[in-house]
Amino acid sequence: MAGPRDEIEALIALMSRLPGLGPRSARRAVLHMLTRREGLMAPLARAMGEVAAHARECSVCGNIGTAEICEICADPRRATGEICVVESVADLWAMERGQAFKGRYHVLGGTLSALDSIGPEELGIPKLIDRTGAEGVTEVILALNATIEGQTTAHYIAEALEAQEINVSTLAQGVPIGGELDYLDDGTIGAALRARRKF
Amino acid sequence: MAGPRDEIEALIALMSRLPGLGPRSARRAVLHMLTRREGLMAPLARAMGEVAAHARECSVCGNIGTAEICEICADPRRATGEICVVESVADLWAMERGQAFKGRYHVLGGTLSALDSIGPEELGIPKLIDRTGAEGVTEVILALNATIEGQTTAHYIAEALEAQEINVSTLAQGVPIGGELDYLDDGTIGAALRARRKF
């Protein structure tokens, strides 16, 4: 359709680029907003525009916030001497939701990949090694995804940190809380068995 | 979390009010946008703001566009003497995707409901009856949903139009194109059988 509908069609096309929304659900979301222009659509557009304008990567850890230094790096209570290395900001947020880690982070922004020419420089690994010295870090926790790429990157970082007197650890593998054995893959069951502990 | 993350959390809360997005998928969508601030987030915010500012209901049919009169009502080729009555703008768009109807529309914006005190006035039914006279309409097609509310509303409109010499029709019920009998509900199979036609 030509004419005035173009603006709306362009919005649907942009919305459908969001994860979890296809062309159909993007259309449905836009229609929903169109009938709530004052209550939802205008505030959402404003909030999104403001975040797009203000959001930035923390210059220390790579977390996304609205300041030069993110609130975690700016918080002196989080200078626990521990750095948790994660692949993405999504993983950092997931760790924070877990509320178990009290230290600081280092966001790699990906994993090592010869094919995509992503080397240690692109992931800020030299910067991580500088930080361990400068911030008096005693432990680096590798919270990378349990994929081949994640584990390859973890091994690389562990080796790079070998020269320094730092404990390098990784997340435990095992049965998830609430998980049913019947639905778990064989690899996870094997890992949980090997890492079994006294009851 | 307090501080600079609030803006991002507020955006996630607004996003999660869209249909098809829950709190988790809204978070994922916002994270996706945060890593594509120039390429996706800023253009999306702009497009959404523009549509929110310009979109309006067509004063004739209730379709949503960006002008006082929508493009369908403004197009003289669509003065076919047929008006298709739909519950929502979503249904109007669905009819347009079907590319079978060449006339104009009337969007009710809901169905009759004593509980929610939605009467004929709220649905613009008197306006529809005025239109049938003013636009020289010969046929009103009731394309309401096959729900109890939709069918009750359809009956009301059909009765209200009885005084005028207008053909009132409704969409055929039957087996959807590509539909498998085994997956159809019994009501649809019964309706399709009763409305069977010569092969």
Side-chain angles (χ1 to χ4, degrees):
Chain A
M1 248 183 270
R5 273 285 297 284
D6 286 356
E7 259 184 72
I8 297 175
E9 290 296 333
L11 175 59
I12 294 171
L14 281 167
M15 286 290 288
S16 68
R17 285 172 52 195
L18 296 179
L21 287 177
R24 280 180 88 101
S25 44
R27 185 174 298 276
R28 203 154 57 93
V30 168
L31 267 165
H32 182 89
M33 288 193 285
L34 278 171
T35 55
R36 290 155 186 85
R37 294 195 291 281
E38 290 307 311
L40 177 58
M41 196 177 203
L44 181 55
R46 264 196 304 276
M48 199 178 286
E50 271 165 33
V51 170
H54 300 155
R56 49 176 304 171
E57 274 85 29
C58 169
S59 61
V60 178
C61 76
N63 184 16
I64 287 181
T66 45
E68 158 84 20
I69 308 277
C70 79
E71 60 194 348
I72 295 174
C73 288
D75 184 348
R77 287 169 301 180
R78 302 207 53 157
T80 59
E82 295 162 317
I83 287 187
C84 178
V85 179
V86 290
E87 282 180 32
S88 65
V89 176
D91 293 344
L92 188 160
W93 290 13
M95 288 291 299
E96 284 293 286
R97 284 200 298 279
Q99 297 186 344
F101 181 65
K102 303 297 180 199
R104 287 178 178 158
Y105 291 93
H106 190 85
V107 180
L108 297 175
T111 49
L112 292 174
S113 166
L115 265 178
D116 304 322
S117 43
I118 299 177
E121 272 295 340
E122 281 72 29
L123 302 182
I125 294 177
K127 200 172 134 194
L128 168 66
I129 292 166
D130 289 349
R131 279 184 71 188
T132 56
E135 297 180 29
V137 170
T138 54
E139 181 171 359
V140 168
I141 300 163
L142 300 172
L144 304 188
N145 291 329
T147 57
I148 293 179
E149 298 78 17
Q151 294 309 306
T152 308
T153 309
H155 278 289
Y156 180 89
I157 297 174
E159 273 180 29
L161 289 169
E162 239 170 25
Q164 304 185 42
E165 277 191 9
I166 292 176
N167 294 314
V168 178
S169 60
T170 182
L171 296 184
Q173 290 193 310
V175 182
I177 305 291
E180 296 181 44
L181 294 193
D182 196 17
Y183 290 97
L184 276 181
D185 63 294
D186 306 345
T188 302
I189 293 192
L193 182 68
R194 283 190 297 275
R196 68 188 176 277
R197 56 193 177 75
K198 207 170 171 316
F199 190 69
Chain B
M1 250 183 271
R5 273 285 298 282
D6 286 356
E7 258 184 72
I8 296 175
E9 291 296 333
L11 175 59
I12 293 171
L14 281 167
M15 285 290 289
S16 68
R17 287 173 51 194
L18 296 179
L21 286 178
R24 280 181 87 100
S25 44
R27 185 174 299 275
R28 202 153 59 93
V30 168
L31 266 166
H32 182 88
M33 287 193 286
L34 278 171
T35 55
R36 289 158 187 83
R37 294 195 293 280
E38 291 306 311
L40 177 58
M41 196 176 205
L44 181 54
R46 264 197 305 276
M48 199 178 285
E50 271 166 31
V51 170
H54 300 155
R56 50 176 303 172
E57 273 86 29
C58 170
S59 61
V60 177
C61 75
N63 183 18
I64 288 182
T66 46
E68 159 84 21
I69 309 279
C70 79
E71 60 195 347
I72 296 174
C73 288
D75 184 348
R77 285 168 302 180
R78 302 207 55 157
T80 59
E82 295 163 316
I83 287 187
C84 177
V85 178
V86 289
E87 282 179 33
S88 65
V89 176
D91 293 345
L92 187 161
W93 290 13
M95 287 292 298
E96 285 293 286
R97 283 200 297 280
Q99 296 186 345
F101 181 66
K102 302 297 179 199
R104 286 176 178 157
Y105 291 93
H106 191 84
V107 180
L108 297 175
T111 50
L112 292 173
S113 165
L115 265 179
D116 303 322
S117 45
I118 298 178
E121 272 294 340
E122 281 72 30
L123 301 182
I125 294 177
K127 199 173 134 194
L128 169 65
I129 292 166
D130 289 349
R131 279 185 71 188
T132 56
E135 296 181 28
V137 169
T138 53
E139 181 169 0
V140 168
I141 300 163
L142 300 172
L144 303 186
N145 290 331
T147 57
I148 293 178
E149 298 78 18
Q151 294 309 305
T152 308
T153 309
H155 278 289
Y156 180 91
I157 296 174
E159 273 180 28
L161 289 169
E162 240 171 22
Q164 305 183 40
E165 279 192 8
I166 290 175
N167 294 314
V168 178
S169 59
T170 182
L171 295 185
Q173 289 192 310
V175 182
I177 304 293
E180 295 183 44
L181 294 192
D182 196 17
Y183 291 97
L184 275 181
D185 64 294
D186 305 347
T188 302
I189 292 190
L193 182 68
R194 285 191 297 277
R196 67 189 176 279
R197 56 190 176 75
K198 206 169 172 319
F199 190 71

